[in-house]
DNA sequence: AACCTGACTTCGG
DNA sequence: TCCGAAGCCAGGT
């Protein structure tokens, strides 16, 4: 049976609204483990299709797609653009603008990592 | 069953 | 500020 951490990751990803994105570390931190970014990636790779997760809304901390061209990069980019997410000429997404924030303003965060963003 | 690997990030020197 | 090393953990070999 998967760990709670893994399940929480799935739940969080499912909550990302259309037109917004989240980073691996951000999801990991909210799931309770700031250094569990890799597990987020693993979850997506293994059960994104199975559980119908919006895998394309996850990018790395720089706001760039981690997939390599011809490895899914194009697909992810197109899915995001279709939702209104804009890439600049460096193939980067402006996180200040598109990063998903569960509770903008109030309550704030549970980890220093989230505070930084 | 042990070992390797990875859609990543953070930490310490 | 820059770079190597560690952390995390499930799935594949």
């Amino acid at each position: 049976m998967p760990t709670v951490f893994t399940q929480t990751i799935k739940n969080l990803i499912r909550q990302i609204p259309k037109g917004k994105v989240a980073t691996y570390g951000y999801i990991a931190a909210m799931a309770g483990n700031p250094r569990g970014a890799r597990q987020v990636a693993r979850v997506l790779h293994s059960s994104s299709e199975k559980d119908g997760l919006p895998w394309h809304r996850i990018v790395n901390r720089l706001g760039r797609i981690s997939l390599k061209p011809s490895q899914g990069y194009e697909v992810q980019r197109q899915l995001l653009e279709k939702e209104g997410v804009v890439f600049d000429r460096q193939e980067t997404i402006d996180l200040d603008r598109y990063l998903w924030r569960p509770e903008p303003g109030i309550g704030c965060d549970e980890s220093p990592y989230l505070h930084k963003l």
Side-chain angles (χ1 to χ4, degrees):
Chain A
M1 172 161 170
T3 64
V4 179
F5 179 54
T6 297
Q7 302 220 24
T8 304
I9 288 174
K10 292 185 186 176
N11 291 330
L12 289 170
I13 293 175
R14 260 191 282 269
Q15 290 172 48
I16 303 175
K18 183 180 173 187
K20 288 291 181 179
V21 300
T23 68
Y24 298 93
Y26 188 67
I27 293 294
M30 288 193 289
N33 190 335
R35 305 208 200 77
R38 280 186 106 151
Q39 281 50 248
V40 175
R42 177 135 285 300
V43 167
L44 292 178
H45 191 278
S46 67
S47 50
S48 59
E49 218 173 302
K50 170 174 163 291
D51 292 310
L53 301 176
W55 62 274
H56 56 282
R57 296 182 191 146
I58 308 298
V59 296
N60 67 25
R61 67 175 182 153
L62 301 175
R64 302 237 256 70
I65 291 177
S66 288
L67 289 174
K68 291 171 184 175
S70 75
Q71 296 282 330
Y73 176 92
E74 293 86 350
V75 181
Q76 179 169 10
R77 175 161 180 169
Q78 195 149 68
L79 283 169
L80 287 173
E81 293 184 317
K82 197 159 66 175
E83 296 186 346
V85 175
V86 177
F87 288 74
D88 66 17
R89 76 192 107 161
Q90 311 300 323
E91 325 220 308
T92 300
I93 294 171
D94 181 355
L95 289 180
D96 284 339
R97 211 160 111 186
Y98 296 102
L99 180 66
W100 171 53
R101 288 190 165 83
E103 302 298 336
I106 56 178
C108 290
D109 36 64
E110 303 97 35
S111 96
Y113 177 76
L114 302 182
H115 189 280
K116 190 174 67 173
L117 299 174

